[in-house]
Amino acid sequence: MKRFLTAALAALLLLTLPACGLLEKEENPPSQEPVSDPQPQEPEVPAAPTPEELAAQQVEEILSSLTLEEKVGQLFFVRVPEADAAADVSAYHLGGYILFGRDTADKTADGLIQTIQSYQDAAAADTGIPLLIGVDEEGGTVVRVSSNPHLRASKFRSPQSAYAAGGMEAVLADTREKDILLSALGFNVNLAPVADVSTDPGDFIYDRSFGQTADATADYVSQVVSQMAADNMGSVLKHFPGYGNNVDTHTGIAVDKRPLETFETSDLLPFQAGFQAGGGKTAVLVSHNIMTAVDDSLPASLSPAVHDLLRDDLGFDGVVMTDDLAMEAVAAYSADGAVAVMALEAGNDLVITTDYRTQIPKVIEAVEGGTLSEDTIDTACRRVLTWKQELGLI
């Protein structure tokens, strides 16, 4: 019995020892490195939008708020009509007015200021988007403002005359005086400088050009456009792709048969210089000349291929406008009379015309009928709004 009890006690000890060991392990687990709590992550603060992004956002907001009719109207930079000018601003939601000698003749400075302000008041009451107010004040033979002695005692000199009198210093002094006078009267765009290369006094465009080589003309254009940008005056480089020795397109068709190499090594250089110098305050006006090296059938103003040269090859992304579509050189190219539709399809952003009361409804009709994409209208309107923004109008 004693041996049995001893054996039983031994067996009991054997059974309980492992359990005791397990309990000891559970009560005294091996030491481990303490696990630190993860630090709370600071929320990412989005980067503040850049001025460029804010500007683009503003343009998109304005664009999205406009009706089709209002967007189309913004694409028309038109000659001031003889009657109902203020009323037409709101009736057609116009993008801008160009004043000619008829519109400035015999007016006092105060009278012209009030007239232009009446146009801006009409725009403010309509879309709220200020108008481009333009004029051709090149100097020399094209002087719509300084030809009126009530506005300036004498006409501005031509670039050639100013340069002969005092070099580029005199040219830039004249440029600044023009900008100050035009701004004071209410203009925000001068359709200048003439960037055409011409050294032959027999050329139609010679008197309006700088009259020197391509390199000298490029330097002239660069400096003038820089001065205009500094004065916050919109500039317009004309007449792309370069007028050469062509005839006057106000009265007929001009066919330019020069090879593309001539344009690349000469005529295009002043335009490229102007793009770089003027930044967002510079636009380009396209002539009605037929540039056979690129498109032998359509005037440059209506040619998608010429606009591709300007946009893709030369990299210009600013506002492109037609020369006046009322000129004889383009009258025959639209069977149904919708020449502005052709101009916008070609890649223009602004249409210059006297006949806007006919052309604007035709553009709207083309969009509504599906023959002209509303995306084309939006792209053009976006550029026009951006130009207005660059000029401080928006």
Side-chain angles (χ1 to χ4, degrees), residues 60-276:
E60 292 303 322
E61 289 172 355
I62 295 171
L63 182 64
S64 65
S65 73
L66 300 178
T67 66
L68 172 62
E69 291 78 8
E70 290 168 340
K71 288 187 288 189
V72 170
Q74 285 297 306
L75 310 186
F76 280 76
F77 195 15
V78 304
R79 181 171 186 171
V80 175
E82 291 191 73
D84 301 320
D88 275 10
V89 170
S90 53
Y92 294 95
H93 318 296
L94 296 172
Y97 268 147
I98 301 174
L99 280 68
F100 287 76
R102 178 195 72 195
D103 309 303
T104 62
D106 301 324
K107 285 188 179 292
T108 64
D110 187 58
L112 184 55
I113 289 168
Q114 290 186 31
T115 298
I116 290 174
Q117 188 57 52
S118 72
Y119 306 154
Q120 293 289 19
D121 290 343
D126 179 36
T127 60
I129 302 171
L131 296 167
L132 298 167
I133 301 292
V135 69
D136 293 287
E137 191 68 23
E138 300 170 7
T141 60
V142 181
V143 281
R144 314 297 192 197
V145 170
S146 62
S147 58
N148 178 350
H150 297 300
L151 303 177
R152 190 174 189 268
S154 60
K155 298 177 182 179
F156 281 108
R157 297 174 294 184
S158 71
Q160 290 184 36
S161 176
Y163 186 80
M168 278 307 300
E169 184 177 346
V171 171
L172 296 178
D174 267 16
T175 300
R176 178 153 176 73
E177 188 180 344
K178 285 178 195 173
D179 295 342
I180 292 171
L181 174 61
L182 295 179
S183 295
L185 294 171
F187 295 96
N188 46 53
V189 174
N190 186 3
L191 282 83
V194 171
D196 301 297
V197 177
S198 175
T199 58
D200 183 351
D203 293 345
F204 162 72
I205 204 66
Y206 175 80
D207 288 341
R208 296 168 62 188
S209 75
F210 191 52
Q212 297 192 35
T213 64
D215 288 338
T217 302
D219 180 64
Y220 154 76
V221 168
S222 177
Q223 293 195 55
V224 167
V225 165
S226 294
Q227 182 65 60
M228 293 176 72
D231 296 337
N232 203 37
M233 177 59 62
S235 56
V236 179
L237 307 174
K238 58 188 188 185
H239 307 78
F240 187 85
Y243 214 94
N245 62 354
N246 289 283
V247 299
D248 183 2
T249 51
H250 289 80
T251 57
I253 296 172
V255 180
D256 193 329
K257 296 182 178 181
R258 293 177 295 164
L260 184 59
E261 182 182 4
T262 298
F263 288 93
E264 292 173 337
T265 58
S266 178
D267 294 69
L268 299 181
L269 300 183
F271 290 96
Q272 292 174 289
F275 302 161
Q276 295 170 5

Side-chain angles (χ1 to χ4, degrees), residues 13 45 81 222 299:
L13 289 172
V45 179
S222 177

Side-chain angles (χ1 to χ4, degrees), residues 2-26:
K2 186 176 180 178
R3 286 197 301 272
F4 174 77
L5 289 173
T6 301
L9 181 59
L12 182 60
L13 289 172
L14 288 173
L15 289 172
T16 57
L17 281 173
C20 292
L22 286 173
L23 286 172
E24 287 176 1
K25 288 179 181 180
E26 289 173 359

